[in-house]
Amino acid sequence: MTDHSFRVLLADQIAPEGVRVLEDAAGIQVDDRAGIDAGELEAVVGEYDALIVRSRTRVTARILEAGQRLRVVGRAGVGVDNIDVVAAEKRGITVLNAPGGNVVSAAELTMALMLSLVRHVPQAAASLKRGEWERDRFKGIELNGKTLGLIGAGRIGAEVAKRGLAFGMRVIIHDPYLSEQRARDIGAELVPLDELFRAADLVSIHAPMTAETRGLVGSDELAMMKPTAYLINAARGGIVDEAALEESLRSGKLAGAALDVFQEEPIAADNTLLRLDNVIAIAHLGAATHEAQTLSGIEICKAVRDALVTSASRPAVGV
């Protein structure tokens, strides 16, 4: 042990600007072990006062139990579903996240997925690269004049609403935590969930993974949607029942879906959703911009620094 008061372990890649926040703080030593596997993490975590991860590392009850000195676990991102928050609370470990860092990146990706769906961009690009010239096959629709239904309108959902309005869309929202006034401020209308599914031309999910939202979009909900409607999920995979979604897409009950997140990640290459022509699937890229990684790294490192040095902390929050 050095003369530093606190040791912080980085289990995943954190932006250098964030790491400097910790390194510049008096009394903090930073060990960068990005890419460390679960077994090694469990073996060494007991030497540290704080642990910072991204989505790759799963902070299980076993790892938390091995972290005898742990005071803080930080997630450089929004969701904390890769951290056993209940186990952390039992051990008195503060769990922090970075809710502001990836807001714009996630909202912009959502719009990219919407546009790709309604204009068949990935499929058309793949067709042209095969030497085909099929303009009629990839005829799409405009976002202008369509109804966008948002499940959840926190930071990211509100930014998506703003962009939807800029595209000339009507925006409706289901969010049990959103006030009527806040919805009006956003420029949207609060509606019951069943009404949202029935009315929306595009449904986009922006809710955290909780006991209440797990499996929220299943066969009954999908059956309410128009056969011309599209589903976008760039929030958390477990919110959508993938088997029910696949059935809806194969049967023509739903026009298409764009997925950035999945029930199990990394997604298996033999996942049958990937074989559907009306599915756009990408590998959890919502926060995969230089700007988001930098902002999230700075935000979580500041929060961890403050929690260690001044004992000032805030609870983890959702999407």
Side-chain angles (χ1 to χ4, degrees):
M1 180 67 181
T2 72
D3 60 352
H4 290 83
S5 300
F6 303 109
R7 296 185 69 189
V8 178
L9 175 62
L10 309 181
D12 293 317
Q13 192 70 46
I14 303 299
E17 295 88 345
V19 178
R20 282 198 292 274
V21 168
L22 293 170
E23 291 176 337
D24 291 345
I28 293 180
Q29 174 189 335
V30 181
D31 289 344
D32 189 347
R33 302 284 296 276
I36 190 171
D37 64 35
E40 191 176 359
L41 177 57
E42 185 179 346
V44 303
V45 71
E47 304 170 18
Y48 295 91
D49 302 280
L51 170 65
I52 298 179
V53 302
R54 286 177 55 193
S55 59
R56 183 194 70 91
T57 298
R58 300 199 65 80
V59 185
T60 63
R62 283 187 57 160
I63 287 172
L64 292 166
E65 185 176 354
Q68 293 296 314
R69 286 176 47 183
L70 275 182
R71 296 174 52 181
V72 184
V73 174
R75 159 80 159 90
V78 181
V80 292
D81 45 300
N82 59 319
I83 301 170
D84 191 329
V85 177
V86 173
E89 288 176 350
K90 287 179 180 177
R91 298 189 61 82
I93 299 169
T94 300
V95 177
L96 300 171
N97 64 350
N102 71 343
V103 169
V104 171
S105 290
E108 288 186 357
L109 181 73
T110 300
M111 298 309 299
L113 292 173
M114 280 189 211
L115 289 163
S116 295
L117 273 173
V118 301
R119 298 303 298 269
H120 314 294
V121 173
Q123 300 92 330
S127 171
L128 186 60
K129 288 185 177 182
R130 290 192 299 267
E132 301 162 355
W133 188 265
E134 298 185 280
R135 298 180 66 193
D136 289 341
R137 179 184 168 193
F138 298 114
K139 187 176 294 181
I141 62 171
E142 295 180 352
L143 293 181
N144 183 51
K146 303 302 186 295
T147 297
L148 170 60
L150 301 178
I151 300 176
R155 291 174 174 87
I156 296 171
E159 289 295 319
V160 173
K162 184 190 303 182
R163 286 156 178 77
L165 291 167
F167 272 84
M169 304 183 80
R170 172 195 177 212
V171 179
I172 58 176
I173 294 171
H174 176 77
D175 188 327
Y177 304 103
L178 198 72
S179 69
E180 293 275 1
Q181 183 58 53
R182 174 59 178 156
R184 285 194 293 271
D185 291 345
I186 291 172
E189 176 187 352
L190 274 182
V191 298
L193 188 58
D194 58 349
E195 182 179 334
L196 182 144
F197 281 115
R198 291 189 175 97
D201 298 295
L202 297 100
V203 172
S204 188
I205 300 169
H206 301 285
M209 172 63 78
T210 65
E212 290 74 26
T213 60
R214 185 176 298 276
L216 179 67
V217 183
S219 55
D220 290 345
E221 292 73 25
L222 292 166
M224 297 178 193
M225 295 177 67
K226 304 173 186 178
T228 55
Y230 296 90
L231 178 73
I232 301 99
N233 187 11
R236 289 292 178 265
I239 296 173
V240 176
D241 182 329
E242 289 182 5
L245 176 61
E246 183 173 349
E247 192 280 328
S248 294
L249 292 165
R250 286 187 182 277
S251 64
K253 297 174 186 174
L254 194 64
L259 306 171
D260 184 41
V261 290
F262 302 88
Q263 289 176 354
E264 297 292 333
E265 296 182 9
I267 188 171
D270 61 356
N271 187 307
T272 49
L273 276 170
L274 299 180
R275 302 175 190 168
L276 301 182
D277 289 338
N278 53 354
V279 169
I280 297 171
I282 54 177
H284 205 145
L285 301 180
T289 63
H290 295 294
E291 294 88 348
Q293 296 306 309
T294 299
L295 291 171
S296 294
I298 292 171
E299 184 176 0
I300 196 59
C301 289
K302 283 182 177 179
V304 169
R305 176 201 64 192
D306 292 347
L308 289 175
V309 176
T310 69
S311 297
S313 63
R314 51 174 173 72
V317 294
V319 172

